[in-house]
Amino acid sequence: MFVSDFRKEFYEVVQSQRVLLFVASDVDALCACKILQALFQCDHVQYTLVPVSGWQELETAFLEHKEQFRYFILINCGANVDLLDILQPDEDTVFFVCDTHRPVNVVNVYNDTQIKLLIKQDDDLEVPAYEDIFRDEEDSGSDSDGSEPSEKRTRLEEEIVERTMRRRQRREWEARRRDILFDYEQYEYHGTSSAMVMFELAWTLSKDLNDMLWWAIVGLTDQWVQDKITQMKYVTDVGVLQRHVSRHNHRNEDEENTLSVDCTRISFEYDLRLALYQHWSLHDSLCNTSYTAARFKLWSVHGQKRLQEFLADMGLPLKQVKQKFQAMDISLKENLREMIEESANKFGMKDMRMQTFSIHFGFKHKFLASDVVFATMSLMESPEKDGSGTDHFIQALDSLSRSNLDKLYYGLELAKKQLRATQQTIASCLCTNLVISQGPFLYCSLMEGTPDVMLFSRPVSLSLLSKHLLKSFVCSTKNRRCKLLPLVMAAPLSMEHGTVTVMGIPPETDSSDRKNFFGRAFEKAAESTSSRMLHNHFDLSVIELKAEDRSKFLDALVSLLS
């Protein structure tokens, strides 16, 4: 069921209990987790934190801990499947689910005792009505007890007619139910950021701090970076956070010189959508930001030439553009945003600036929200073999605290490597024509032995690569029909088990609703061909597949979507 009063029905319930937190491996979930941890520290709530990267880990961890805990909190996992069916908990176990995955499973919506959904009701959820989905089994006819045989016969005939009618009604109801559920569950999409939901809880409790506000901003920015929400939704939510920002940071907006060594200040910015540019050189950032790389077509000689023309149009000396942003002439930096925006407009890039936020820690350290998203994401998905996934998770979580700036800077260095690898892989896919039209969708498969291929076995990295590849392909192809197609991407997962990760991305033209239909389609294609598939990821449009089943699976997918 949906929780309407988060304070009463959630926070005050868990405040006096020991709770277990299951947190998914994405930046928004980490930010929501940081806010909740800060609240729990305020109120001395005892909790155990368990990172989970997929259903298998969640099931295993639940089995391991279900004896010690009665209350479980799930962040960015659990809403879009029948949770009780998957975890088979005891009857007194309660799950609080704060998750952006939509649609919310109907059993979770209508279970009043064990599933409590911490989900904003103003997201247009369009949940089907209870009576359209659930139906009490009616008694199948009562025993009649008439005295006269003739009376008995007519009663029996009536009963047979009644039963037949009931069966027919039931069949009609079941057919309608199938249609309603199909329409409701057909597309996968994302709702309000979990970090924002947790921040609103903190605000309701009057315990919201500037740090928590920053985490909410990073959570929302993660959704934007990963294309999980529409531009409209992003701008609306930025507006909500902007009001909190002016409430928390109004004291020192006009007085630049009020910055003290240890103070934290958040400001609203209308900044460039260039990845990490304040921690890199402008040239590197232009080359490795998906928006500019795709528009310039930087994988081609002609594209490189256009980039040179763009820089010349701005009148920036190459020496300045190629050195670290920090070291650029102050006189150039002053009007840089306006200069870049003006030239970008001439080159057909109308959205060069975006609404976002920045944070200052003391005098020296300034980060844009997207810098933190890229750094945290790279720490979490780091391919380095120095530890388990849990170590990477903890490191990423730590990098969000202002006391761990060294970890954040390390994350920025990893992020640069990752962005470079992404653009290089896109260039090689486009130059060797690896993106092929299969009819109803485009298909691209990364080969074993491709540089950085292990980096892209991780879901978030593969997802960013796929989305950026599709943007670049749409800019590079002359074929009008191909510009409208979705993309299916495959990357090697485990040599040892002979598995690949397969992921589906909606068409680039569908940016107005960001809905993804691949989850259900993958399920049907695997079912009809008995392909060995594992739905381990919390996003239904990401699956693990046996490499040798790949071709029959793709054939089934083509015929299903044609």
Side-chain angles (χ1 to χ4, degrees):
M1 62 176 264
F2 291 111
V3 171
S4 47
D5 183 339
F6 282 24
R7 178 194 210 131
K8 249 203 199 71
E9 298 168 63
F10 163 56
Y11 197 74
E12 288 175 4
V13 173
V14 296
Q15 211 172 344
S16 54
Q17 305 288 339
R18 284 180 63 231
V19 290
L20 187 80
L21 284 176
F22 287 128
V23 183
S25 303
D26 68 78
V27 177
D28 177 44
L30 288 178
C31 292
C33 172
K34 290 293 282 185
I35 295 171
L36 199 54
Q37 282 179 305
L39 287 175
F40 282 175
Q41 270 160 353
C42 266
D43 294 311
H44 310 292
V45 178
Q46 290 189 321
Y47 69 91
T48 299
L49 169 63
V50 179
V52 286
S53 65
W55 289 113
Q56 282 181 323
E57 284 186 9
L58 181 61
E59 286 174 54
T60 313
F62 178 71
L63 280 173
E64 202 178 305
H65 293 97
K66 68 176 191 175
E67 303 303 326
Q68 300 102 294
F69 295 90
R70 191 183 151 206
Y71 292 97
F72 295 86
I73 300 171
L74 284 75
I75 300 183
N76 279 0
C77 54
N80 57 347
V81 294
D82 182 346
L83 204 53
L84 299 185
D85 182 50
I86 284 188
L87 297 180
Q88 303 284 327
D90 298 338
E91 283 187 1
D92 64 344
T93 303
V94 179
F95 297 100
F96 290 99
V97 181
C98 180
D99 186 3
T100 65
H101 290 97
R102 306 283 182 272
V104 180
N105 182 282
V106 284
V107 180
N108 294 343
V109 173
Y110 291 114
N111 178 302
D112 289 344
T113 50
Q114 291 189 270
I115 306 278
K116 313 284 186 183
L117 299 165
L118 306 174
I119 283 173
K120 278 183 72 164
Q121 285 285 268
D122 55 2
D123 284 347
D124 45 347
L125 294 164
E126 293 167 5
V127 181
Y130 180 84
E131 54 278 7
D132 287 341
I133 304 294
F134 301 102
R135 173 179 179 140
D136 303 322
E137 296 294 327
E138 299 104 332
D139 346 9
S140 42
S142 49
D143 292 334
S144 48
D145 178 29
S147 43
E148 294 296 315
S150 61
E151 212 180 297
K152 238 180 188 171
R153 193 173 307 122
T154 43
R155 215 176 269 183
L156 194 65
E157 282 165 1
E158 277 171 15
E159 207 170 287
I160 289 169
V161 171
E162 202 177 308
R163 269 190 203 172
T164 316
M165 284 289 290
R166 266 213 298 259
R167 275 196 204 118
R168 202 173 82 203
Q169 282 171 343
R170 173 144 199 115
R171 274 200 304 276
E172 284 169 2
W173 179 84
E174 276 170 356
R176 199 170 65 242
R177 175 182 191 269
R178 270 198 303 277
D179 290 346
I180 290 172
L181 275 179
F182 177 78
D183 287 345
Y184 176 63
E185 292 174 342
Q186 186 181 6
Y187 292 106
E188 189 183 11
Y189 61 105
H190 287 269
T192 302
S193 138
S194 292
M196 279 189 70
V197 172
M198 284 300 168
F199 177 75
E200 281 194 16
L201 168 68
W203 181 51
T204 314
L205 298 168
S206 309
K207 291 180 177 165
D208 52 321
L209 303 166
N210 223 9
D211 283 346
M212 297 182 188
L213 176 55
W214 178 246
W215 293 324
I217 288 167
V218 174
L220 169 63
T221 309
D222 175 52
Q223 288 192 311
W224 183 82
V225 164
Q226 298 206 49
D227 257 348
K228 284 184 174 173
I229 51 173
T230 63
Q231 185 62 22
M232 186 67 203
K233 170 78 175 144
Y234 174 71
V235 171
T236 310
D237 286 351
V238 162
V240 171
L241 290 174
Q242 203 179 341
R243 289 192 284 280
H244 289 295
V245 166
S246 19
R247 193 167 54 81
H248 271 281
N249 298 271
H250 62 91
R251 290 185 310 282
N252 32 21
E253 243 168 30
D254 309 322
E255 312 157 37
E256 281 292 312
N257 51 4
T258 56
L259 265 181
S260 62
V261 177
D262 56 353
C263 108
T264 302
R265 193 183 77 217
I266 302 173
S267 358
F268 173 77
E269 307 269 0
Y270 185 46
D271 213 321
L272 300 167
R273 56 190 288 177
L274 291 178
L276 313 179
Y277 80 94
Q278 298 179 5
H279 305 274
W280 218 349
S281 73
L282 203 52
H283 187 268
D284 278 334
S285 180
L286 282 162
C287 291
N288 293 295
T289 296
S290 129
Y291 180 72
T292 44
R295 297 299 187 291
F296 283 131
K297 306 187 180 61
L298 288 183
W299 53 89
S300 65
V301 176
H302 176 64
Q304 292 291 338
K305 202 171 138 223
R306 272 177 64 80
L307 176 61
Q308 301 307 327
E309 288 165 8
F310 172 75
L311 294 171
D313 186 79
M314 285 195 301
L316 286 178
L318 211 55
K319 184 180 166 215
Q320 290 285 334
V321 175
K322 289 196 166 179
Q323 67 179 335
K324 269 200 147 163
F325 180 80
Q326 302 295 359
M328 275 176 81
D329 280 359
I330 289 183
S331 57
L332 291 174
K333 279 201 275 195
E334 269 173 2
N335 306 323
L336 188 71
R337 297 175 193 181
E338 289 73 19
M339 282 160 67
I340 290 183
E341 186 177 28
E342 197 180 313
S343 296
N345 273 331
K346 293 182 199 167
F347 281 74
M349 293 181 282
K350 301 268 183 272
D351 310 317
M352 199 57 179
R353 284 168 81 172
M354 56 173 285
Q355 300 181 4
T356 183
F357 298 91
S358 67
I359 193 162
H360 275 273
F361 296 117
F363 299 112
K364 269 173 60 175
H365 309 282
K366 182 190 175 189
F367 303 95
L368 284 173
S370 57
D371 297 340
V372 179
V373 169
F374 281 120
T376 310
M377 201 187 309
S378 300
L379 285 167
M380 194 159 44
E381 298 227 322
S382 163
E384 290 174 16
K385 291 279 182 284
D386 57 352
S388 61
T390 312
D391 293 351
H392 291 323
F393 179 95
I394 298 299
Q395 204 174 11
L397 195 63
D398 286 349
S399 76
L400 289 166
S401 301
R402 59 180 154 169
S403 53
N404 290 322
L405 288 183
D406 51 336
K407 284 187 178 153
L408 184 57
Y409 280 116
Y410 175 59
L412 288 174
E413 292 312 308
L414 285 180
K416 291 175 194 175
K417 279 186 197 161
Q418 172 143 14
L419 287 167
R420 271 209 183 94
T422 303
Q423 286 309 324
Q424 281 160 2
T425 307
I426 288 172
S428 78
C429 288
L430 294 176
C431 295
T432 54
N433 297 325
L434 275 186
V435 182
I436 330 155
S437 167
Q438 292 279 10
F441 57 86
L442 301 165
Y443 175 66
C444 176
S445 171
L446 297 182
M447 300 302 163
E448 284 288 358
T450 316
D452 303 305
V453 75
M454 278 331 288
L455 182 64
F456 301 116
S457 65
R458 306 295 303 263
V460 179
S461 308
L462 183 61
S463 163
L464 270 185
L465 172 69
S466 310
K467 284 165 183 165
H468 293 175
L469 175 60
L470 186 55
K471 280 183 171 63
S472 298
F473 179 80
V474 166
C475 289
S476 75
T477 182
K478 300 270 190 291
N479 183 325
R480 279 229 183 100
R481 198 181 150 274
C482 284
K483 286 183 192 287
L484 308 174
L485 294 178
L487 171 70
V488 173
M489 187 91 186
L493 178 62
S494 157
M495 290 277 284
E496 192 185 337
H497 299 116
T499 51
V500 289
T501 303
V502 179
M503 169 178 286
I505 302 284
E508 189 46 37
T509 43
D510 277 7
S511 57
S512 59
D513 67 2
R514 286 274 154 255
K515 290 190 172 178
N516 191 332
F517 58 80
F518 276 113
R520 295 281 168 253
F522 284 171
E523 228 164 76
K524 287 206 167 87
E527 230 167 78
S528 65
T529 53
S530 323
S531 300
R532 288 157 295 171
M533 171 189 102
L534 182 61
H535 239 156
N536 187 29
H537 199 261
F538 298 126
D539 283 326
L540 299 179
S541 54
V542 184
I543 59 166
E544 294 171 20
L545 188 70
K546 279 283 189 199
E548 57 222 40
D549 292 347
R550 179 167 23 184
S551 57
K552 65 177 182 181
F553 172 80
L554 283 173
D555 290 344
L557 196 59
V558 170
S559 60
L560 186 69
L561 298 176
S562 290

